[in-house]
């Protein structure tokens, strides 16, 4: 079973067709890197895959369940994915610890493990509200939430934004471990070196 | 837990937005129904039997409530939460309940006025409320502005800040301005007033009802003023000039709202004097508020300032009648000219 299958995806936003007939797959253990110039639809694609933005046409299947299908399929698909947003930020009034508790409860899994807390330095941000965090801290808090489970598919929208060198190394390590455990990830980024380091298969968007 | 976070992300901001409408509607209700021998049934009866009056009332409520409904119908504050597994029906039930409860002033008016028939009216009007709330207009193609001079450019930035950050508050403000005009007219008519007395009374009502309308616009203006400070300094625009630009934008918005209210009064009572009196009062209130806005850091101070400035204007009008509006305008002018820069 593929971790992610996108079939003939069409997304229109503000009267403009942002994605037009895109097909894409990600196998278990594979990392897909979505690249392209600003405004080409990377975030829109990831929002549709993560179940945030309903596509105009096409089908998105995560771990065998349609993200935009029946209620049961929607729940199964969302349970199998972890999302780090770029545009659709988590509610700013939540503390990081509350965000993790929310994601753990919704996906029926456990809070961040001590190893994850150590690697991402989550203890520093646990009691901060998201709206009071720096960009890098918010990214780490959302990564911590996305990695709970761990999910069959990680959907990461520019996860390296605002991360310092140490945390960037941790992100690379976590993504490699995630793929080695047989889970997939789709990552949008402008950073070619990140793509190289995580060994992603590049999917260019035009 | 998902539902509780969704409620905090969607319903709580909608409730905050609705509170301004409730305040405005409460003031208007006190003016119309408090000791003026008018009952809710009189107003709803007129609205049901006169299509024009009914349309004005319905459009006024649309202007007032659509900005609140937009938050609930679109649910943009909870986009991230859609990526988490959740049941579909609980947020729909909560959203529907919120759409009913947050229309409390409208609901109360129609149930008190028409009973069960009123519920049908509320349900019918809620349909366009939801449709307008869900509507996402196409974004206009951005044009590169050509401003002549730094001060006009700064004013342009403030106006854009208002349009882009407070579009909903502008719509709600227009609704409250219409409501202010209706309330002023009914008070003048029910008391059989004319001339200067009518103008002073209607202008006082407009000044008071405009408080919740203007507060929603002042907060984004304060943000635009604060966030443009470094840019203005780097471009050599003085603090005094910035305060003058801020005051002119606040005055422009406030006077426009007062004009809407005054024109409604003029149309309903034919008291022409209400237009200059209301405009001068609006100018005074706005300049007094601008003085506070230029220095204010917290929102509470701005809200209090708006209430106090409206009260000062009402005192002038109550004491000196229509001529009090000139004193209100002069008070505002002195206040803004004496604002210290830095």
């Amino acid at each position: 079973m593929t971790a992610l299958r996108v079939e003939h995806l069409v997304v229109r936003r503000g009267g403009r067709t942002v994605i037009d007939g895109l097909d894409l797959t990600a196998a278990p253990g594979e990392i897909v890197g979505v690249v392209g110039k600003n405004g080409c639809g990377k975030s829109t694609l990831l929002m549709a895959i993560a179940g945030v933005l309903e596509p105009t046409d096409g089908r998105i299947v995560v771990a065998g369940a349609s993200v935009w299908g029946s209620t049961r399929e929607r729940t199964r698909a969302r349970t199998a994915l972890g999302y780090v947003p770029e545009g659709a930020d988590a509610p700013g009034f939540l503390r990081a610890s509350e965000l993790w508790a929310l994601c753990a409860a919704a996906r029926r899994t456990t809070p961040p493990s001590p190893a994850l807390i150590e690697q991402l330095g989550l203890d520093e941000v646990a009691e901060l509200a998201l709206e009071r965090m720096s960009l890098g801290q918010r990214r780490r808090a959302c990564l911590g939430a996305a990695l709970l489970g761990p999910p069959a598919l990680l959907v990461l929208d520019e996860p390296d934004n605002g991360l310092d060198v140490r945390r960037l190394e941790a992100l690379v390590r976590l993504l490699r471990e995630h793929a080695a455990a047989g889970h997939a990830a789709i990552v949008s980024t402008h950073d070619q070196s990140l793509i190289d380091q995580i060994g992603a298969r590049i999917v260019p968007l035009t | 837990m998902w539902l509780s976070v969704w409620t905090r992300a969607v319903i709580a901001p909608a409730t905050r937005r609705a509170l301004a409408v409730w305040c405005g509607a409460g003031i208007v209700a006190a003016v119309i129904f408090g000791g003026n021998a008018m009952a809710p049934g009189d107003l709803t009866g007129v609205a049901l039997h006169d299509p024009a009056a009914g349309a004005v009332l319905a459009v006024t409520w649309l202007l007032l409530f659509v900005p609140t409904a937009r938050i609930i119908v679109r649910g943009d504050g909870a986009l991230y939460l859609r990526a988490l597994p959740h049941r579909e029906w609980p947020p729909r039930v909560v959203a529907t309940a919120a759409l009913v409860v947050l229309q409390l002033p409208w609901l109360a008016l129609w149930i008190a006025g028409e009973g069960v028939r009123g519920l049908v009216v509320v349900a019918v009007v809620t349909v366009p409320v939801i449709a307008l709330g869900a509507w996402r207009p196409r974004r206009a193609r951005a044009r590169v502005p050509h401003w002549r001079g730094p001060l006009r450019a700064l004013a342009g930035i403030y106006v854009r800040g208002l349009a882009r950050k407070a579009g909903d508050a502008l719509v709600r403000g227009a609704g409250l301005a219409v409501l202010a005009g209706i309330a002023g007219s009914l008070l003048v008519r029910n008391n059989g007033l004319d001339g200067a007395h009518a103008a002073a009374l209607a202008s006082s009502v407009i000044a008071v009802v405009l408080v919740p309308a203007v507060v929603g616009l002042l907060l984004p203006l304060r943000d635009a003023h604060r966030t443009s400070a470094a840019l203005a300094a780097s471009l050599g625009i003085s603090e005094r000039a910035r305060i003058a630009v801020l005051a002119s934008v606040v005055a422009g918005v406030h006077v426009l709202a007062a004009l809407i209210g005054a024109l409604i009064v003029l149309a309903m009572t034919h008291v022409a004097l209400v237009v200059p009196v209301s405009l001068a009062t609006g100018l005074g209130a706005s300049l007094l508020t601008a003085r506070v806005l230029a220095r204010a850091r917290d929102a509470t101070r701005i809200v209090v300032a708006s209430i106090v400035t409206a009260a000062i204007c009402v005192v002038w009008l109550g004491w000196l009648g229509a001529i009090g509006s000139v004193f209100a305008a002069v008070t505002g002018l002195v206040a803004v000219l004496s604002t210290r820069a830095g």
Side-chain angles (χ1 to χ4, degrees):
Chain A
M1 188 201 300
T2 53
L4 168 68
R5 198 170 71 247
V6 176
E7 296 169 354
H8 199 73
L9 187 73
V10 179
V11 184
R12 293 199 185 93
R13 288 182 88 179
R16 189 169 80 91
T17 303
V18 183
I19 296 170
D20 193 5
L22 180 83
D23 292 297
L24 175 73
T25 56
E30 185 180 26
I31 301 177
V32 173
V34 182
V35 295
K37 61 183 185 192
N38 292 334
C40 70
K42 297 189 295 293
S43 291
T44 301
L45 170 65
L46 267 51
M47 283 167 86
I49 291 172
V52 170
L53 180 71
E54 189 157 6
T56 315
D57 200 6
R59 192 155 179 261
I60 301 167
V61 179
V62 171
S66 172
V67 175
W68 297 101
S70 65
T71 305
R72 184 174 292 185
E73 295 244 327
R74 285 177 183 223
T75 304
R76 268 182 54 210
R78 283 163 176 77
T79 306
L81 65 85
Y83 176 47
V84 172
E86 166 71 0
D89 259 338
F93 57 77
L94 285 181
R95 289 179 180 164
S97 55
E98 292 170 338
L99 175 69
W100 304 328
L102 166 70
C103 292
R107 299 216 301 265
R108 294 179 196 286
T109 184
T110 49
S113 64
L116 186 61
I117 289 175
E118 167 64 26
Q119 287 197 67
L120 287 174
L122 298 182
D123 47 352
E124 300 167 13
V125 296
E127 291 312 310
L128 286 178
L130 292 168
E131 63 199 359
R132 298 202 174 273
M133 290 181 189
S134 70
L135 178 62
Q137 287 175 323
R138 209 158 49 237
R139 277 276 174 279
R140 278 154 54 201
C142 288
L143 267 169
L147 282 160
L148 296 180
L153 176 72
L154 268 177
V155 182
L156 309 181
D157 197 351
E158 303 197 17
D160 49 331
N161 266 3
L163 293 188
D164 58 36
V165 177
R166 189 169 143 225
R167 302 301 177 200
L168 204 53
E169 284 170 4
L171 172 68
V172 169
R173 207 163 43 244
L174 283 166
L175 278 173
R176 281 183 179 162
E177 287 169 8
H178 188 75
H183 306 306
I186 180 164
V187 182
S188 91
T189 182
H190 292 284
D191 187 351
Q192 183 61 46
S193 74
L194 177 67
I195 296 270
D196 294 340
Q197 287 180 72
I198 59 177
R201 171 168 65 86
I202 293 176
V203 172
L205 283 189
T206 49
Chain B
M1 185 171 185
W2 188 95
L3 188 64
S4 122
V5 175
W6 182 89
T7 306
R8 279 173 71 192
V10 176
I11 304 300
T15 306
R16 280 196 293 273
R17 188 168 282 184
L19 283 178
V21 174
W22 287 21
C23 287
I27 295 167
V28 171
V31 169
I32 296 176
F33 304 125
N36 277 290
M38 233 185 141
D42 300 334
L43 189 60
T44 54
V46 170
L48 284 179
H49 294 109
D50 180 351
V56 168
L57 200 62
V59 168
T60 305
W61 183 249
L62 286 181
L63 287 172
L64 289 172
F65 192 65
V66 165
T68 300
R70 257 168 57 128
I71 299 178
I72 300 168
V73 176
R74 292 186 178 185
D76 287 345
L79 274 181
Y80 175 84
L81 301 179
R82 292 185 198 166
L84 297 174
H86 61 277
R87 282 177 294 174
E88 303 269 335
W89 63 266
R92 285 191 189 155
V93 170
V94 175
T96 307
L99 278 172
V100 174
V101 171
L102 293 181
Q103 293 197 70
L104 188 65
W106 182 244
L107 199 64
L109 170 72
W110 281 97
I111 290 178
E114 300 294 325
V116 179
R117 202 154 61 134
L119 273 178
V120 177
V121 173
V122 172
V124 168
V125 175
T126 302
V127 174
V129 163
I130 292 171
L132 285 169
W135 180 51
R136 291 180 194 266
R138 282 189 180 193
R139 219 179 291 168
R141 189 168 289 183
R143 271 176 268 159
V144 179
H146 293 286
W147 288 305
R148 269 176 283 167
L151 296 186
R152 283 192 188 183
L154 197 58
I157 286 171
Y158 285 4
V159 170
R160 276 163 173 73
L162 263 186
R164 289 173 193 168
K165 294 273 182 186
D168 285 342
L170 280 170
V171 173
R172 190 185 56 209
L176 282 170
V178 173
L179 212 55
I182 293 172
S185 308
L186 290 173
L187 200 62
V188 166
R189 227 194 242 180
N190 289 350
N191 286 290
L193 296 176
D194 200 4
H197 289 301
L201 186 62
S203 298
S204 299
V205 172
I206 291 171
V208 173
V209 179
L210 283 186
V211 169
V214 171
V215 164
L217 304 172
L218 294 178
L219 299 177
L221 267 179
R222 177 203 58 173
D223 290 344
H225 187 66
R226 282 171 61 181
T227 53
S228 63
L231 181 66
S234 72
L235 293 171
I237 300 172
S238 71
E239 184 66 14
R240 272 203 169 280
R242 289 182 63 233
I243 292 171
V245 170
L246 176 70
S248 65
V249 174
V250 174
V253 171
H254 204 132
V255 166
L256 189 64
L259 181 65
I260 293 172
L263 289 177
I264 301 272
V265 175
L266 178 62
M268 288 177 72
T269 64
H270 306 292
V271 178
L273 190 60
V274 73
V275 176
V277 170
S278 203
L279 293 187
T281 308
L283 182 68
S286 61
L287 293 179
L288 278 164
T289 314
R291 180 192 163 98
V292 178
L293 196 62
R295 322 278 298 170
R297 296 219 168 266
D298 63 314
T300 315
R301 209 169 154 206
I302 295 172
V303 175
V304 171
S306 299
I307 295 168
V308 170
T309 53
I312 290 170
C313 293
V314 171
V315 166
W316 276 124
L317 289 168
W319 186 23
L320 300 172
I323 200 73
S325 63
V326 177
F327 284 84
V330 171
T331 309
L333 210 58
V334 170
V336 84
L337 287 176
S338 63
T339 307
R340 275 178 296 149

